[in-house]
Amino acid sequence: MQTIHNHLITINNCHIENEKRTLINDISWTMRSGEAWLVIGPNGSGKSTFLSALAEKLSVVPNEVSGKTAQEPLPLYSSVFGDSVEIVSLERAAALIQEERDNDESEYTEGGVDIGRTGRIFIAEPLTGPYKKGKPLPETVKRIEAYPAIKLCGVEKILDRGIKYMSTGEIRRTLLARALISGKKLLILSDPFAGLDVDSRAILLDFFSTITGKQLTENGTDSAYPHIILGMERYYEIPDAITNVLEFRGNRISFCGTRREYEQIISRREAVSAKTRGSDRAAFAERITGLQKETEIIINNSPDESASEKEADGVPEKLIEMHGVNVGWDDCKVLVDLTWTLHKGEHWLIRGPNGSGKTTFLELITGDNMQVYCNDVRMFGRKRGTGETMWEIKAKLGIVSYRLHVEYRMVGGTNLRSVIISGFRDSIGLYEQATDIETAAADKWLALGGFSGRETESFGDLSYGEQRAILILRAAVKCPPVLILDEPCHGLDESYRQKILDLLETVAASGTTTLLHVTHESDEVLPCEKHILELHPGKTPMYEILTI
């Protein structure tokens, strides 16, 4: 007889659909008490779709009325959690940043600064309801430090900071604290370690081990602690508490079993891949180099610039200079007396803990932080704020950042070909007719990234990791003098990640592009990155320059 009393989630012979179409066919899976599941799969595999369905953001629909045994019926789809599910993901973090930008009222605020919701207000909203600006803080909000989730997620020091001023890692921990305080019975943590520094990872691993350990010990659905499902793009830093693995490939389940069984499969795959790694990398680098040469035709024959303008637009030896730069707000000092120079061909790694000012540093260069105009920052030989236009600066930059990703999500209906072509135009979206040469080049870059035949797909329909890969291609197409990379491999599976790292290394070796790279992952540091700017918040001096 089939026993189902310990089933937490049962999916038997169902499919997953949205309002337009079926996304995953023929899916069967069961989560039982005493199990801790990892859901894994490459970008676009169906993993994110499955996790969204568990959170009731997509529909799980029976394929047919079946699945009965002679003794008792087996449910087609059931979940003891109902709608008591919360997802903490890169997508949710991006959506939160977009919400804060949409609700920004700085232009109507005295002093011109609207800090928006603080971490304290946002975390408490599941208990108090949405906060209305100008209203007194409820007592629950004032006492939010008393909740164990605050310390468990390590957000005590950022409770009164505006969300828009938080780093990516700080936003992720804030979302986690809110999810815990909400009292939801199932938490889905999707790629939770992306963008976290060493200390934040330790906090999260301890959190996962503590919560999962309680659940496995108590083995019940009425526990004060939520159940957790972990979603990952690639198999690394997997907590010891994980017992089972569900893998998706090609929008179907490709493995369902124990962790030990899955690790044996991973080992066999890695052995096969290692045999051809060298030759595959060499062939990929040759394709990139050839495509770069073809792309130069577009840049050198742009109808928008005369030969004299291009000659005057030459790139100096000193690409970027900062002299005694100070950035902050209220009593918070982010960058203090920073002096730094980027020379052509010197590839830099920018590192430091979450909230140390890495993204702020890059936004001074891209012009996304207005405090650049009250500091001595020089771009390509010219001081910012002396008459140059935003377009003149961005014409020499390739950018991959969380901010850019959020902006592109807001125009998600743009097709992939247009996203790549917009890299030549330095625009968000494409607003003019593309030339035949641009179209041909864009299609070749898409093929290089593994998107051949998908040129007309909508950017908004891609998984977060696929979107990230497209934005990296967009930044690289014009062979810019400076390529700015703020955690470029966020959300990428192992295959895409390795391909992107090979792409960046080849671009750096071309001699035409200099890299500025932010990452917390030691295995993503490129061999060409011999210079390091390390930020030390709260210390004097607050930065250190190293050369390898």
Side-chain angles (χ1 to χ4, degrees), residues 266-311:
I266 290 291
S267 295
R268 290 196 292 269
R269 289 176 182 171
E270 290 177 346
V272 171
S273 177
K275 293 179 180 179
T276 60
R277 170 68 181 133
S279 58
D280 290 346
R281 181 176 181 177
F284 187 62
E286 186 176 352
R287 287 181 63 195
I288 296 169
T289 302
L291 188 50
Q292 282 182 308
K293 291 178 180 178
E294 291 182 37
T295 306
E296 285 178 6
I297 297 174
I298 298 174
I299 300 170
N300 294 332
N301 292 279
S302 170
D304 298 327
E305 292 183 306
S306 67
S308 61
E309 286 174 322
K310 289 172 185 171
E311 185 177 343

Side-chain angles (χ1 to χ4, degrees), residues 171-192:
I171 288 175
R172 302 288 298 286
R173 286 188 277 126
T174 298
L175 283 168
L176 185 59
R178 175 183 165 115
L180 277 176
I181 283 178
S182 72
K184 297 293 180 69
K185 295 298 184 181
L186 175 63
L187 298 187
I188 299 174
L189 308 183
S190 181
D191 211 8

Side-chain angles (χ1 to χ4, degrees), residues 197-212:
D197 57 33
V198 173
D199 290 342
S200 296
R201 288 173 189 230
I203 290 171
L204 186 56
L205 280 169
D206 181 63
F207 159 81
F208 189 92
S209 298
T210 299
I211 300 298
T212 305

Side-chain angles (χ1 to χ4, degrees), residues 2 21 54 97 152 177 245 270 288 326 475 480 484 532 544:
Q2 176 72 42
R21 60 189 178 91
L54 294 185
I97 293 174
L152 193 60
V245 179
E270 290 177 346
I288 296 169
N326 290 275
I484 295 173
I532 301 172
E544 183 179 6

Side-chain angles (χ1 to χ4, degrees), residues 164-278:
K164 66 177 69 175
Y165 299 117
M166 292 183 185
S167 69
T168 305
E170 289 168 338
I171 288 175
R172 302 288 298 286
R173 286 188 277 126
T174 298
L175 283 168
L176 185 59
R178 175 183 165 115
L180 277 176
I181 283 178
S182 72
K184 297 293 180 69
K185 295 298 184 181
L186 175 63
L187 298 187
I188 299 174
L189 308 183
S190 181
D191 211 8
F193 302 106
L196 297 187
D197 57 33
V198 173
D199 290 342
S200 296
R201 288 173 189 230
I203 290 171
L204 186 56
L205 280 169
D206 181 63
F207 159 81
F208 189 92
S209 298
T210 299
I211 300 298
T212 305
K214 293 285 187 182
Q215 275 293 352
L216 295 182
T217 300
E218 296 180 8
N219 198 26
T221 58
D222 294 327
S223 168
Y225 298 92
H227 288 267
I228 297 177
I229 293 177
L230 183 63
M232 298 284 281
E233 307 294 346
R234 52 194 185 97
Y235 198 83
Y236 79 115
E237 290 189 313
I238 305 303
D240 293 338
I242 289 293
T243 61
N244 296 75
V245 179
L246 181 68
E247 182 192 69
F248 283 85
R249 287 178 177 266
N251 288 305
R252 65 179 184 83
I253 294 175
S254 51
F255 174 84
C256 183
T258 67
R259 173 179 183 155
R260 182 177 180 182
E261 293 169 333
Y262 188 69
E263 288 178 343
Q264 292 174 345
I265 291 176
I266 290 291
S267 295
R268 290 196 292 269
R269 289 176 182 171
E270 290 177 346
V272 171
S273 177
K275 293 179 180 179
T276 60
R277 170 68 181 133

